[in-house]
Amino acid sequence: MKYDVFIGLEIHIHLKTQSKMFCSCPAVYGDEPNTNICPVCLGYPGTLPQANRFAMELGYRVAHALQCRLSERTLFARKNYFYPDMPKNYQISQFENPIGEDGHMVVALPESGERSIRIHDVHIEEDAGKMIHAGADTFQDFNRAGFPLLEIVTEPDLKSGEETEAFLRDFQRTIRYLCVSDANMDEGSMKCDANISINHPGKGLGTKVELKNMNSPRFVRLGINHEIARHSKVLDEGGEIVQETRLWNENRDITESMRRKEESDDYRYFPEPDIPPFCPDREFMQKVEESLVELPLTIKKRLVSQYGLTLEQSEFLHDDYERVKLFEDTVALGATAHNVAAWLSSDVKKILNRDSINIGDSSLTPQRFNQLLALIEDGVISGKIAKNVLDEIFKTDTDPQEIVKKNNWAQITDKEALTTIIDKVLSDNPQVVQAIREGDHKQRGWLMGQVMQASDGKAAPEVSAKILQERL
Amino acid sequence: MNLDMRKWSSIMQDHQKIKQYEEKVRQLDSVLGCFLSFQPDIKPPIANAEMGNIPVAVKDNIAVRDMPLTCGSRILENLKAPYTATAIHKLQQAGASVVGKTNMDEFGMGSSTENSALGKTVNPWDTGKVTGGSSGGSAAATASGIVPLAIGSDTGGSVRQPANFCGVYGLKPTYGSISRYGLTAYASSLEVIGAMSYDLQLLKVAFDVMKGIDPHDQSSVSAPSSITAPGQSKLRAAVLKVDSGALDANVSQSYTQACQSLQKNGYSLEDVEIPTMKYVIPAYYTIAAAEASANLARYNGMRYGKAPNHAETPGQLMKKARHDGFGAEVKLRILLGTYVLRSGFQDQYYGQAQKVRTLIRQEISRIFEKFDVILMPVFPTQAFSCGGTDMDSYQQRLADVFTSLANLAGLPALALPTGHADGLPTGVQIMGSAFGEDQLFSAASAMAEDFPLQAPPNFLDIGDIR
């Protein structure tokens, strides 16, 4: 790269609270427009904001997890600007003394390995309503107005689209681990804007361009890389970058200049007089401490070192906190780590995806999982039958042992019973038997297949093979 | 003076009497113009009602469910409140019945009520004079006997000054002691809901009913227990030294009479000077305008209120709604407020004003270490003439100096009538330390003997209702 690249992010996440940030309206997606509204979030005269304490807790949780210096006296501020979807035409946000400042997040980045990306600040604010354009009309839905938002601003420490995508994915993971937000870019519970600049090496930050409208980590990578290329071309030709806001056009894979807004960005911030400074007490901070979790990168490394998993297995597991939990809880009951990891990444994953089930509230408890694996290990059922049992666990929400009993799926290990079945198969297929005795060993597999069919798949494979061999 | 609460109660519960009352009010109000909307309703009485089932008038910037909430402005002239302010709700639960919404200077900006875009209110003592503002309608409604109690708001004197011009008691309580939930915001860090009445005892009951922490208003506070503990008698009064010529002759004379009355009632008096007084008006207007520019931004015709029928873009719609909907004084303060918050200027103006405010508070605080109350004038003149001939708007703003002080300091103050001169009321103001309302009431109560109340020429005597 001929130029130094500087990328900083402004990430907004919707906090998972019951109510909005400043009133008791439900903070939910998808309801009929303008049904979750009240005089407060509609900005009626005389209404006042009531700060959501749980939202503050979630905000402090994130700031703490990102190693920020936490504010003992955090202030709300009014950010003043006019826009049709703004109920008050000011947003209650934070300016001085935000919840957290000067933090960092260690991420495993492609090319450069583990790096610490600095967090400038974490602050809390409210969301605006939504405008819906339909032909010549524009409609306004204020269900979202007042939703609690947490904004996380990084320093311009990222250096490429790839790094940024990796950072974002780890950031998402961390946020989900902390249970503060779904952090879904396509659903709208997380948004990411980027500030990009490039410059000749050693000259510091260049003229920055703000990039918006990237609705997935992948688009963030594409958008940023496109911008870097665009800036490079301009500098190569001796030109100057125009400081502006651009939008990522995902249909055309390019960035486009946003129609210039008439008003400049003077937000005239001043302290919010309606809400006194928030001073977290000991009880509050204790709750914040207790809710902290081991972070994704640490877990990924620990899965390898503690359980001997491969990096690939560890990557897969650590992508979802519930997966890690199920894995560890099952292993704690006695199951073999590799087995659990293998089943999770194959058959379990298949069923969860097929039926759109959330692993956290599925019927596969650690106890059942452990039981299932034990049944295989003890030879009670075959690996093949086990897949059916797994399916039944999800279908019927019952224990594996019960399922096996109910369906009579226990392997047949009794020598006499097996011998009877095998003898019948042999007598039904004399030509094949003859062929094998004459040297065509490939047909053995077909015979085993017949044995399986005759026994409804329950013939214990190893024992059956042995007996078959004897009888041949 | 219509101070018989049982008489009021009997009117409010009788269909015939309410009708007579309504008739009489409409007749008188066609002269005075106190109300922007008036609708007395018969209500089932509440047993042991603290407020005694009386009618109450409420300033039109305070929300009462299903009643208009115009704030004296065209931009809200079609708005009905979808909820009730906490303070009013408490009064209603205690038996009071809201019979109408009163006229006011638009969004609380003014000292005459002449800045109302929706009506004209005149002084019951002399219909060629203003009522004062911005709670002019409430003051006139009380002074003319139409209601025994009226609720207003005080940002820089808007309860005390009209009370003073109309000859009634007007209380501005401690900042935060009454919930602001339901009070249309003009200057959030300065304003409070207040009340007016001829009856001190009723005023005290109203305050006790309305006060208290409200979860809807996170700036609301309750008195620390140390205040309510009984202490030794608190009779040390500081008297603000006023430059000669700063007050009209009648006002100056009533000031002297008030001092004498306090002395007679056992108060020890001492002159004090408040050097930071000269910064009160610049600090007040800078802070109030800044907060107003943000508080009034919500009025853009998008969600409620008046909007033009058509506009090409949302920006145009907002511009037109605000251009047509706001009066000149409101526009002036919004522009001023936007200016003092601008990046590059904020520290110099808004930031500086807040620092000055702290200095003022500290100075007042030092005075309250040695004194229990401070006596001072309310306004340099008695009620001035309608139409701005005696006092133009600039002079009116400067004259807010005596009242704005209590708002900057967040302290309680009570305007009390001290008789009449040249056919118009005179009065003074006592300021107390935080949550010191009781002392204000007891001082005023002591002085009341020396200043017997008198009804104005335009007065509705409920004795006539049978």
Side-chain angles (χ1 to χ4, degrees):
Chain A
M1 189 69 233
K2 172 167 160 192
Y3 298 105
D4 282 343
V5 177
F6 304 95
I7 302 160
L9 300 178
E10 282 171 19
I11 305 171
H12 287 88
I13 54 174
H14 268 161
L15 295 176
K16 263 166 106 140
T17 56
Q18 302 250 37
S19 329
K20 293 185 177 182
M21 185 65 211
F22 295 113
C23 66
S24 52
C25 288
V28 291
Y29 292 100
D31 283 352
E32 280 295 301
N34 295 315
T35 48
N36 296 323
I37 52 175
C38 74
V40 177
C41 55
L42 237 55
Y44 266 76
T47 55
L48 296 172
Q50 224 182 311
N52 182 326
R53 203 180 161 80
F54 185 57
M56 297 303 288
E57 197 186 305
L58 298 183
Y60 269 88
R61 196 187 289 181
V62 172
H64 198 3
L66 294 177
Q67 312 284 330
C68 291
R69 189 178 62 248
L70 301 177
S71 175
E72 293 180 341
R73 189 172 182 274
T74 193
L75 304 175
F76 288 95
R78 292 189 185 178
K79 181 179 182 181
N80 300 281
Y81 63 104
F82 284 84
Y83 209 65
D85 61 9
M86 299 274 287
K88 298 184 293 295
N89 286 311
Y90 61 83
Q91 178 196 36
I92 301 180
S93 175
Q94 295 194 289
F95 187 59
E96 289 175 332
N97 293 41
I99 289 180
E101 290 177 286
D102 299 333
H104 63 270
M105 189 168 120
V106 178
V107 198
L109 296 173
E111 295 146 34
S112 51
E114 272 186 31
R115 254 194 30 237
S116 175
I117 303 298
R118 293 172 299 162
I119 304 292
H120 179 264
D121 76 274
V122 173
H123 66 264
I124 202 163
E125 56 190 26
E126 55 177 347
D127 207 348
K130 204 162 38 160
M131 288 202 290
I132 301 158
H133 305 288
D137 295 325
T138 300
F139 298 91
Q140 295 188 328
D141 176 11
F142 287 96
N143 280 354
R144 199 185 66 187
F147 257 54
L149 283 181
L150 199 66
E151 181 171 346
I152 297 97
V153 182
T154 75
E155 298 286 7
D157 290 349
L158 294 161
K159 301 191 197 305
S160 70
E162 286 72 18
E163 282 204 345
T164 311
E165 182 181 4
F167 172 84
L168 265 183
R169 290 200 190 275
D170 213 39
F171 179 81
Q172 273 180 315
R173 238 175 254 127
T174 304
I175 295 300
R176 290 172 188 160
Y177 267 51
L178 293 168
C179 298
V180 301
S181 170
D182 291 333
N184 261 321
M185 287 186 76
D186 36 318
E187 274 175 21
S189 51
M190 174 163 142
K191 279 203 186 66
C192 179
D193 297 335
N195 290 306
I196 305 154
S197 78
I198 71 174
N199 209 346
H200 297 283
K203 296 281 177 143
L205 297 172
T207 305
K208 83 169 176 209
V209 166
E210 188 185 13
L211 189 54
K212 290 173 165 301
N213 199 42
M214 299 166 290
N215 298 324
S216 72
R218 179 171 162 265
F219 287 144
V220 172
R221 166 171 52 91
L222 294 176
I224 286 175
N225 284 344
H226 176 93
E227 262 310 280
I228 294 173
R230 190 182 72 83
H231 288 209
S232 301
K233 188 154 180 290
V234 172
L235 288 194
D236 284 345
E237 292 167 2
E240 276 184 19
I241 305 291
V242 174
Q243 179 165 339
E244 58 175 342
T245 301
R246 296 176 74 86
L247 303 176
W248 171 248
N249 184 325
E250 67 192 50
N251 296 316
R252 301 176 59 199
D253 278 358
I254 57 170
T255 64
E256 292 166 324
S257 187
M258 217 167 112
R259 261 194 317 254
R260 318 236 53 232
K261 296 182 282 192
E262 315 96 44
E263 49 218 63
S264 56
D265 291 352
D266 180 4
Y267 295 117
R268 303 187 297 281
Y269 283 100
F270 68 96
E272 171 58 78
D274 293 333
I275 310 176
F278 181 85
C279 306
D281 57 25
R282 190 170 302 179
E283 197 190 313
F284 181 88
M285 286 314 299
Q286 208 166 333
K287 272 217 198 117
V288 172
E289 294 280 348
E290 282 167 11
S291 62
L292 284 189
V293 296
E294 204 183 351
L295 294 181
L297 184 60
T298 319
I299 288 190
K300 185 162 78 168
K301 296 200 269 195
R302 187 168 65 77
L303 288 175
V304 171
S305 65
Q306 187 178 337
Y307 298 98
L309 297 181
T310 66
L311 194 55
E312 203 185 312
Q313 283 173 321
S314 165
E315 278 271 4
F316 172 74
L317 284 182
H318 99 307
D319 199 41
D320 182 338
Y321 185 56
E322 298 284 356
R323 237 179 253 164
V324 176
K325 209 156 166 298
L326 181 58
F327 168 79
E328 292 207 277
D329 289 345
T330 308
V331 173
L333 291 173
T336 315
H338 271 284
N339 282 349
V340 180
W343 274 85
L344 276 174
S345 60
S346 57
D347 294 88
V348 175
K349 176 174 163 203
K350 221 182 288 174
I351 296 177
L352 291 176
N353 283 344
R354 180 194 76 196
D355 300 342
S356 299
I357 303 172
N358 195 348
I359 201 175
D361 28 51
S362 77
S363 319
L364 186 64
T365 62
Q367 290 75 10
R368 288 179 180 164
F369 202 173
N370 184 43
Q371 202 181 84
L372 178 67
L373 295 177
L375 287 173
I376 303 171
E377 192 147 321
D378 295 340
V380 177
I381 54 175
S382 66
K384 197 157 173 292
I385 293 286
K387 292 180 200 261
N388 298 346
V389 177
L390 180 68
D391 213 9
E392 285 297 308
I393 293 175
F394 282 102
K395 275 212 195 97
T396 64
D397 196 16
T398 45
D399 291 347
Q401 270 172 357
E402 271 185 58
I403 294 170
V404 169
K405 205 186 290 185
K406 184 157 161 254
N407 291 287
N408 196 19
W409 277 343
Q411 280 190 135
I412 304 172
T413 47
D414 176 50
K415 278 203 168 141
E416 270 190 51
L418 283 176
T419 309
T420 314
I421 297 172
I422 289 172
D423 280 347
K424 178 140 195 321
V425 170
L426 291 177
S427 68
D428 283 345
N429 300 284
Q431 304 97 304
V432 181
V433 174
Q434 187 63 29
I436 293 174
R437 286 188 178 144
E438 283 170 4
D440 188 356
H441 295 289
K442 278 189 278 180
Q443 302 270 28
R444 212 187 282 265
W446 186 85
L447 269 185
M448 271 303 287
Q450 292 304 300
V451 172
M452 282 299 170
Q453 220 177 65
S455 65
D456 290 321
K458 291 186 289 185
E462 271 180 46
V463 187
S464 310
K466 224 151 135 227
I467 297 175
L468 183 64
Q469 180 62 17
E470 283 170 13
R471 305 306 272 181
L472 276 172
Chain B
M1 300 302 298
N2 294 350
L3 296 184
D4 184 351
M5 297 305 141
R6 279 165 308 170
K7 177 78 182 175
W8 279 112
S9 201
S10 79
I11 294 172
M12 294 308 291
Q13 290 164 54
D14 181 299
H15 193 70
Q16 275 301 322
K17 292 186 185 162
I18 274 202
K19 275 204 78 155
Q20 283 183 56
Y21 170 66
E22 191 178 342
E23 269 299 309
K24 287 180 182 290
V25 171
R26 294 205 189 276
Q27 216 175 19
L28 179 56
D29 210 38
S30 64
V31 172
L32 296 179
C34 306
F35 290 93
L36 291 174
S37 57
F38 181 73
Q39 192 58 57
D41 276 329
I42 210 169
K43 280 209 178 58
I46 295 182
N48 302 318
E50 275 161 285
M51 301 300 304
N53 300 297
I54 56 167
V56 149
V58 174
K59 186 174 180 183
D60 214 15
N61 64 349
I62 298 173
V64 181
R65 186 192 288 269
D66 296 332
M67 294 184 86
L69 184 63
T70 68
C71 304
S73 178
R74 274 200 221 299
I75 209 168
L76 294 182
E77 70 181 343
N78 62 351
L79 177 66
K80 288 217 160 72
Y83 71 106
T84 299
T86 303
I88 305 302
H89 180 70
K90 285 177 159 185
L91 287 176
Q92 288 173 322
Q93 296 215 296
S97 178
V98 179
V99 294
K101 305 300 295 300
T102 55
N103 197 18
M104 53 181 286
D105 283 306
E106 190 175 357
F107 285 109
M109 301 178 183
S111 312
S112 60
T113 303
E114 290 195 301
N115 289 335
S116 172
L118 303 178
K120 178 174 159 146
T121 314
V122 295
N123 197 314
W125 288 88
D126 177 340
T127 57
K129 306 284 185 195
V130 299
T131 54
S134 57
S135 315
S138 282
T142 323
S144 63
I146 294 177
V147 287
L149 177 76
I151 307 300
S153 67
D154 191 311
T155 312
S158 294
V159 161
R160 290 162 287 153
Q161 188 250 30
N164 172 267
F165 275 18
C166 295
V168 295
Y169 291 98
L171 172 70
K172 175 219 168 289
T174 307
Y175 180 81
S177 61
I178 295 182
S179 168
R180 280 184 300 119
Y181 187 72
L183 167 62
T184 302
Y186 150 27
S188 318
S189 73
L190 295 166
E191 60 207 5
V192 289
I193 287 179
M196 303 179 222
S197 179
Y198 277 124
D199 185 339
L200 258 184
Q201 184 53 28
L202 179 61
L203 203 54
K204 185 173 193 310
V205 172
F207 173 62
D208 283 338
V209 167
M210 290 192 290
K211 76 183 185 205
I213 291 195
D214 177 17
H216 287 293
D217 176 2
Q218 294 197 304
S219 67
S220 62
V221 284
S222 62
S225 48
S226 54
I227 302 281
T228 47
Q232 74 281 52
S233 49
K234 311 212 170 194
L235 301 173
R236 305 166 298 170
V239 179
L240 178 68
K241 200 159 177 304
V242 181
D243 295 335
S244 68
L247 305 176
D248 269 7
N250 287 339
V251 175
S252 187
Q253 187 172 54
S254 85
Y255 196 41
T256 310
Q257 288 169 345
C259 290
Q260 289 163 348
S261 171
L262 272 179
Q263 221 153 21
K264 207 186 86 191
N265 281 289
Y267 283 78
S268 65
L269 265 50
E270 198 180 307
D271 281 351
V272 290
E273 283 184 342
I274 303 180
T276 51
M277 216 53 191
K278 61 177 170 292
Y279 302 117
V280 163
I281 288 298
Y284 169 75
Y285 273 98
T286 306
I287 294 170
E291 294 179 2
S293 71
N295 284 325
L296 268 64
R298 65 189 65 194
Y299 305 116
N300 60 1
M302 290 260 167
R303 286 150 282 110
Y304 52 77
K306 283 218 90 181
N309 282 328
H310 171 79
E312 289 295 319
T313 65
Q316 289 224 7
L317 184 99
M318 294 198 267
K319 275 196 178 135
K320 201 163 192 305
R322 292 164 72 81
H323 181 78
D324 295 344
F326 285 145
E329 183 68 26
V330 170
K331 285 176 178 161
L332 173 65
R333 297 196 196 189
I334 291 175
L335 288 170
L336 177 64
T338 308
Y339 184 81
V340 303
L341 287 176
R342 284 195 58 189
S343 114
F345 300 129
Q346 204 185 101
D347 284 340
Q348 201 177 330
Y349 293 117
Y350 183 71
Q352 189 72 343
Q354 292 285 28
K355 287 186 187 155
V356 167
R357 183 179 184 174
T358 305
L359 285 178
I360 294 172
R361 281 185 191 212
Q362 287 170 349
E363 185 159 58
I364 300 295
S365 196
R366 281 194 290 273
I367 296 178
F368 278 113
E369 281 168 15
K370 291 172 52 188
F371 297 95
D372 303 306
V373 293
I374 306 178
L375 185 77
M376 62 180 81
V378 178
F379 201 78
T381 69
Q382 294 176 289
F384 47 84
S385 302
C386 298
T389 45
D390 296 345
M391 244 194 163
D392 66 35
S393 34
Y394 180 67
Q395 289 167 322
Q396 287 176 39
R397 290 188 210 107
L398 289 180
D400 281 341
V401 61
F402 297 118
T403 44
S404 306
L405 180 62
N407 300 89
L408 285 171
L411 298 178
L414 177 70
L416 55 109
T418 56
H420 311 84
D422 293 334
L424 290 174
T426 57
V428 292
Q429 163 184 209
I430 345 176
M431 194 160 92
S433 54
F435 301 102
E437 282 83 356
D438 277 346
Q439 294 180 52
L440 305 183
F441 286 122
S442 63
S445 190
M447 291 164 74
E449 298 180 353
D450 294 324
F451 304 112
L453 296 169
Q454 198 185 319
N458 293 286
F459 187 82
L460 185 162
D461 191 338
I462 57 171
D464 297 338
I465 300 176
R466 286 170 235 286

